[in-house]
Amino acid sequence: MSTFKVFSGTKSRYVAEDIAHALGIELGKMNISHFADGEFEVCFEESVRGVDVYLVQSTFPNCDNLMELLLMIDAAKRASAKSVNAVIPYFGWARQDRKDKPRVSIASKLVADLLSAAGVTSILTMDLHADQIQGFFDVPVNHLYASTIFVPYIQSMNLENMVIASPDVGGAKRANSYAKYFDVPLVLCHKQRAAANVVDKMTIIGDVTDKNVIIIDDMIDTGGTICKAAQLMKDNGAKSVRALASHAVMSGNAAEKITNSVLDEVILTNSFPFDNSKCPKATILNVADLFAGTIKRVLNNESISSQYLFK
C-alpha cells in the first residue's frame, strides 16, 4: 500500500480510532484550537507531504463538524498531501436533496460544492439518504452500504415468518433489496406528514399477521415514524417488530419514545455518536471494519464492489 495516514475531527474520533486500529496504524496527530469567539483552527502536528490522507469526520449538526472537515481538507491540501480523502460515515444535510417546494435550498448539493472547493480528492461515505447525491460531486464517491453489517446480524436471529417493511414509500427500494436477499415478503407503510418530522396518518400495504417484522430505514431522527409504524404492525397482528437503521440520529426524546414503544429491538450502527445506554432496546454495530476494508482496497487500487452484499 502507498503511504497513508488517518486523522479525525473532534466528534468522530470514537469511530476513527477503531478504523485506524483495523488498519493497523496509529491515528494521526492533529490539534484543533479554539478562540474565545468560537472560531477554531486546525493544525496537523506531523508531516503529510506526499501522503494519502484520510480525514474521518461525519457532518452531522452542529455546523462546527462540517466546518472542521472543510478546514482539515484545506490544511492537508496546503501541506502538500498526495490526496485528501474525506471519510464521512454520516453525510449530514442529505435530506435536502431537491427542491420539493418553491424558494428552498438544496443543502446536500451546497455541502458537496463546499467540500470540492476546499480541495477534497474523494469521498467515502455510507448509506446516503438519496443515491443521487453521489452525482452532486465532481470527485469520486465511494458509497458503502450498511447491509454488509446488518445481514449477518439478521441471519444470527434465525427469525421464522420474517417480513421486511419500509416505513414509507421512499424507502421501498432499500427495503426491497433486503426482502429479495432473504426471499421474504415486503410490506410498505404509506405515511402522510402534517409537517417536517410530524407524521399525520399511516396505513399498511401488505400482511403482517403472525409475522416477525423488520422495518428498514436509513436513519432514525425523532423516532416518530418508526414508533408509529411499529404500533401499526402490532395492531395488525405482527408477532414481533424490530427496526433497523444505518444512522442513529436520535434527536430530542427519540430514545425515550423507542424505549416506551412496542418495538422489540432497534439495530443501528455507530456512524452517528449515540449512547445506547439511553435506550435499552438499541443494539449498536460497528462500521470500522467496513470503512477500513474499503480504504485498504482503494489504496491497493482494488475493486470495492466485493464489500457489498447488495445495494
Side-chain angles (χ1 to χ4, degrees):
M1 290 188 291
S2 62
T3 304
F4 74 102
K5 294 182 180 181
V6 176
F7 297 88
S8 173
T10 304
K11 295 294 178 67
S12 293
R13 191 176 181 90
Y14 71 98
V15 69
E17 288 176 342
D18 287 346
I19 291 172
H21 178 74
L23 289 166
I25 62 172
E26 294 290 328
L27 198 60
K29 295 180 176 62
M30 191 179 68
N31 181 52
I32 300 176
S33 53
H34 292 256
F35 299 98
D37 63 352
E39 185 179 327
F40 48 87
E41 177 187 68
V42 169
C43 178
F44 291 97
E45 296 189 327
E46 57 188 89
S47 175
V48 295
R49 186 179 298 276
V51 170
D52 290 308
V53 173
Y54 287 83
L55 307 173
V56 182
Q57 178 76 321
S58 289
T59 55
F60 44 77
N62 63 34
C63 293
D64 283 1
N65 296 301
L66 173 58
M67 193 65 194
E68 263 189 26
L69 179 57
L70 292 170
L71 293 178
M72 289 160 65
I73 293 167
D74 185 68
K77 179 185 69 174
R78 295 179 188 280
S80 301
K82 181 182 177 183
S83 68
V84 185
N85 309 279
V87 180
I88 310 174
Y90 171 74
F91 186 86
W93 311 95
R95 282 174 284 187
Q96 300 177 60
D97 63 320
R98 66 196 185 281
K99 285 190 70 174
D100 56 354
K101 56 186 175 183
R103 298 175 296 280
V104 295
S105 65
I106 303 179
S108 50
K109 170 58 175 168
L110 176 59
V111 171
D113 288 344
L114 288 169
L115 292 168
S116 296
V120 76
T121 306
S122 73
I123 302 292
L124 176 57
T125 189
M126 183 184 79
D127 278 2
L128 289 166
H129 186 65
D131 286 343
Q132 66 264 24
I133 292 172
Q134 298 174 69
F136 293 170
F137 290 89
D138 294 324
V139 297
V141 177
N142 292 309
H143 186 203
L144 306 182
Y145 296 87
S147 56
T148 309
I149 302 169
F150 287 138
V151 164
Y153 187 84
I154 294 172
Q155 290 170 331
S156 72
M157 291 190 288
N158 295 314
L159 294 175
E160 296 181 354
N161 297 321
M162 187 170 73
V163 166
I164 298 295
S166 172
D168 53 42
V169 176
K173 179 184 175 184
R174 182 183 299 106
N176 186 53
S177 296
Y178 282 83
K180 285 174 65 177
Y181 184 86
F182 287 105
D183 193 23
V184 298
L186 173 68
V187 171
L188 298 179
C189 293
H190 175 65
K191 67 181 179 183
Q192 295 174 315
R193 288 193 181 275
N197 292 131
V198 180
V199 178
D200 181 37
K201 185 180 179 183
M202 184 178 284
T203 54
I204 291 181
I205 304 170
D207 180 26
V208 296
T209 306
D210 295 325
K211 305 291 185 181
N212 291 301
V213 181
I214 299 180
I215 304 170
I216 308 289
D217 209 349
D218 67 314
M219 69 173 72
I220 298 177
D221 187 357
T222 64
T225 296
I226 287 292
C227 292
K228 197 175 185 72
Q231 185 64 59
L232 194 58
M233 301 289 178
K234 282 283 191 176
D235 291 345
N236 280 268
K239 185 177 180 181
S240 70
V241 185
R242 291 170 174 82
L244 180 155
S246 306
H247 307 297
V249 179
M250 304 292 274
S251 303
N253 65 341
E256 183 182 350
K257 278 184 191 175
I258 288 170
T259 300
N260 296 328
S261 74
V262 298
L263 282 162
D264 294 272
E265 183 182 15
V266 178
I267 308 151
L268 308 160
T269 79
N270 65 341
S271 65
F272 205 101
F274 173 67
D275 180 6
N276 65 334
S277 66
K278 297 178 181 178
C279 182
K281 293 182 178 181
T283 300
I284 308 294
L285 305 182
N286 200 333
V287 300
D289 287 342
L290 176 61
F291 279 93
T294 303
I295 290 171
K296 285 180 182 177
R297 285 170 170 80
V298 170
L299 289 167
N300 288 321
N301 296 313
E302 296 173 354
S303 170
I304 67 168
S305 58
S306 60
Q307 292 282 84
Y308 308 147
L309 291 175
F310 56 84
K311 299 181 180 181

